[in-house]
Each structure stands twice: as structure tokens, then as C-alpha cells.
């Protein structure tokens, strides 16, 4: 697929239902953010999620979409934020994710296992795919399972530095830096949403407006009012 | 009945799984011998372990014995039935236990992936700080300095230009 830039509009012609999945219109609403997790099988994505949410998590298995959704209510600068964490539910085994997985995401947490080199090597593939769909969203690189070998925390991993991405050493088992990781991801997602300069977002908005004008109907406030799409209040 | 497993092992002749456990009601240490039937060198160790764990007569006693451990014991028996020495069988079990850091687990089927996950889960559970542990802290922040002095992980080197 073409890289970000002038070809983005052409990419949108690809016949894929990006809105497939649980009502993604809601991510346009101000208080909703979507954070996606990426990384190889068995790097501990779900375990990180569960460590952060503890008993507070209510995962929704959406097997039709090969996806697990974790809902979380957070507070950023005194404002309530509803976060949907998207976890892959094994979809990573198809070597790539469905475009709807990336659609309207505001931040990404990319995980590898410090015990397994191959999961680190594969980061470049995940990152490439992420940037095809979301050229600008914040992405955090996470080295998980440091409890298995603390010596790994004294080593340097160039991947994050190379792309100028934030990098965390974490352990889902003993909890090291898990809460910090997710709190920071939520802050980054909210900040991104507020000053979204993402070219794809602009194109999407333009296309949506274009569509509405063509129908000659005044649905200009459509984006704000999709009450049926809101998650149940927490 | 409440019992805590202390040790679980295998006897080759006659084939049986032996459990040493503590009966909490009577504060006594007891031994339970569970005979193994219908097991040959062609049998499936995972299935045998599952069957034993779910056996209505033994279930309550084996609650705190992991499925993995039972599988290992059956593997040792299987090795014995194939004529391997104990040392050989132990080595083989250990090899099966090891995670190959080069293996791309994205390519495994459900069963194989579940096997790897259960191996890795053992360490996870061992190192795990649970919510109910007295020393549990929700937010653990540790700063790991990543300056130029630290040693390279060695995983970037050969294909750094690939990134």
C-alpha cells in the first residue's frame, strides 16, 4: 500500500468496510477515545490490559470481529474520558489486522517480549502497517516480561529511538510501569484527538461532508449525536 | 475435603501417579496412589493428564496440581515405555518445556500456541504480584535509564537498516 501523503485519497477507494466492528462513529464524540494494542502472539497484550484494569475490566469478546474490547473510564485534566482498548484476540496470527482495527484509533500500544527476539523484529512490520492506516497517531513501544530477565532493562533497543517513539520497560506479572504506560497512552490519545492534524482524519471528514452534501440533507450535526452508539455508562 | 498437595510424582511399575498431600481437617500428611490404566507408548500425554485431573475420584485431590506437571509425569512414563532412560526422558521433557526465542508464534495453530502460552504462564504466575497479596502496589513506577552507555540488546545489529 502507498505511504501517507497524496495517495491517501486513492487508498480510500479500496472497498473495505472500515466502519465494520462495534459502532465506530462514537469515536468522533468528544469524550471517547480508541486505543489499539499491536504485537505478536503471546507477548502479553491481554495480560497488560488485565493488570491495568484489575477487576474493573469488562472485556467484550467480539468473535465476529476477532477482537476483545476493554472499556475504561478515565479522568484527564478533570475531564471524564471513555476509553475503548482494542485487543487483537488472535487476529495477529493473520500477520496483519483488518483495516477497521486501525480506523479512528487515537493511540497505539505496541508490545514485544524481551525474551523473544522475533517479537522485537516483527515490530517493524506492525509499525509499517500502523502507519499505512494511521500516519500520525501517538505510538508507545513496550518491552514486556522484564520480570523474566531484569538484565534486559540495562540494554538499549534502537527501534523506538529510531522512530522517536516513547519506550517503556514493563512487566504484566509484577506490575512495573503498567499503570504509567496506560495513563500516558490515554493522555496521548486525548491530546492527539484535541489537536488532530492527521491527514487521514481530515480526508475522512471531508469525505463525510461531501457525502452529506450530495444527499442534500442537513445532517451536519450527525457526528455529535449518535446516542445509541454510546457505551453503557460506567 | 480440603487438601494441599505437597508433592506429586510417578511410579513406573506398576504405573501410577503418587500424590503426597496434607489433609487440612486432620492436619495429617497422606499418600494417594492413583493407578494409570490404558496408557501406552502411543498415548497422548495431554489427554491422559486432563482425564486424570477430571476423574471424579481424584479431582478434589489434584486441584492444586497443575495440568502441566501431570503432563510431564505422563511424558516420563511414555519415555520409559519407549525404552528410554530416565535421564533421556527428563532431557526431552526439558526440551519441550523450553521456549525457542526465534520461533514465530504467529504461525502456530491454536493447540501449539496454547502449549507455549501455558509454559510461559508458569513463570508469569511465579513472578506475579496479585491484587490480594499484602505487598501489592497498584502503580509501580521504575525508571530505567536509557542513555548511550547501556549495552545494545544485540537484536538491532544485523538488520538495523531494515527498521
Amino acid at each position: 500500500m502507498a505511504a501517507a501523503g497524496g495517495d491517501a485519497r486513492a487508498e480510500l477507494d479500496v472497498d473495505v468496510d472500515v466502519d465494520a466492528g462495534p459502532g465506530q462513529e462514537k469515536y468522533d464524540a468528544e469524550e471517547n477515545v480508541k486505543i489499539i494494542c499491536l504485537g505478536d502472539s503471546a507477548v502479553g497484550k491481554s495480560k497488560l490490559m488485565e493488570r491495568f484494569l484489575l477487576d474493573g475490566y469488562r472485556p467484550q469478546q467480539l468473535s465476529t470481529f476477532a477482537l476483545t474490547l476493554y472499556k475504561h473510564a478515565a479522568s484527564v485534566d478533570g475531564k471524564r474520558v471513555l476509553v475503548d482498548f482494542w485487543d487483537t484476540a488472535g487476529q495477529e496470527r493473520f500477520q496483519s489486522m483488518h483495516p477497521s482495527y486501525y480506523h479512528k484509533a487515537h493511540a497505539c500500544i505496541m508490545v514485544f517480549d524481551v525474551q523473544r527476539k522475533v517479537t522485537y523484529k516483527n515490530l517493524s512490520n506492525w509499525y509499517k502497517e500502523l502507519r499505512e492506516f494511521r500516519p500520525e497517531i501517538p505510538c508507545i513501544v513496550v518491552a514486556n516480561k522484564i520480570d523474566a530477565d531484569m538484565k534486559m532493562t540495562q540494554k538499549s533497543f534502537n527501534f523506538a529511538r529510531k522512530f522517536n517513539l516513547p519506550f517503556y520497560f514493563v512487566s504484566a506479572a509484577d506490575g512495573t510501569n503498567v499503570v504509567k504506560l496506560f495513563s500516558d497512552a490515554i493522555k496521548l490519545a486525548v491530546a492527539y484527538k484535541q489537536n488532530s492534524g492527521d491527514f487521514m482524519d481530515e480526508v475522512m471528514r471531508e469525505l463525510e461532508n461531501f457525502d452529506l452534501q450530495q444527499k442534500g440533507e442537513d445532517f451536519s450535526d450527525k457526528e455529535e449525536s449518535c446516542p445509541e452508539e454510546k457505551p453503557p455508562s460506567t | 475435603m480440603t487438601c494441599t498437595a505437597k508433592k506429586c510424582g510417578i511410579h513406573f511399575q506398576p504405573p501410577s501417579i503418587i500424590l503426597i498431600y496434607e489433609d487440612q481437617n486432620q492436619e495429617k500428611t497422606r499418600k494417594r496412589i492413583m493407578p494409570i490404566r490404558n496408557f501406552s507408548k502411543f498415548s497422548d500425554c495431554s489427554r491422559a493428564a486432563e482425564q486424570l485431573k477430571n476423574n471424579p475420584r481424584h479431582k478434589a485431590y489434584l486441584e492444586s496440581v497443575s495440568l502441566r506437571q501431570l503432563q510431564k509425569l505422563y511424558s516420563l512414563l511414555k519415555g520409559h515405555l519407549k525404552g528410554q532412560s530416565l535421564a533421556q526422558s527428563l532431557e526431552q521433557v526439558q526440551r519441550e518445556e523450553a521456549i525457542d526465542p526465534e520461533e514465530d508464534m504467529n504461525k502456530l495453530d491454536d493447540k501449539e500456541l496454547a502449549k507455549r502460552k501455558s509454559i510461559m504462564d508458569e513463570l508469569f504466575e511465579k513472578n506475579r504480584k496479585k491484587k490480594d497479596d499484602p505487598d501489592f502496589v497498584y502503580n509501580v513506577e521504575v525508571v530505567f535509564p536509557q542513555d548511550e552507555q547501556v549495552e545494545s540488546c544485540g537484536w538491532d545489529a544485523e538488520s538495523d537498516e531494515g527498521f
Side-chain angles (χ1 to χ4, degrees), chain A residues 40-41 47 51-52 55 93 114 116-118 120-121 124 147 154-156 158 162 173 177 179, chain B residues 103 106 108 110 121 124 127 129 131 137-138 140-142 146 150-151 153 155-156 159-160 163:
Chain A
D40 278 9
S41 294
K47 284 205 159 62
R51 173 57 177 77
F52 172 64
D55 287 345
R93 285 151 70 193
V114 289
R116 292 191 291 133
K117 179 179 173 179
V118 62
Y120 178 72
K121 287 288 183 195
S124 57
D147 57 279
Q154 294 161 18
K155 306 209 173 207
S156 73
N158 268 335
K162 185 156 183 175
N177 291 336
V179 176
Chain B
E103 182 178 56
N106 297 334
L108 299 174
D110 284 344
D121 270 352
F124 176 80
N127 292 346
K129 286 260 187 304
K131 192 172 61 70
V137 180
Y138 177 56
V140 189
E141 284 190 26
V142 184
Q146 278 272 293
V150 294
E151 188 193 341
C153 64
W155 295 351
D156 292 302
S159 69
D160 194 34
F163 280 160

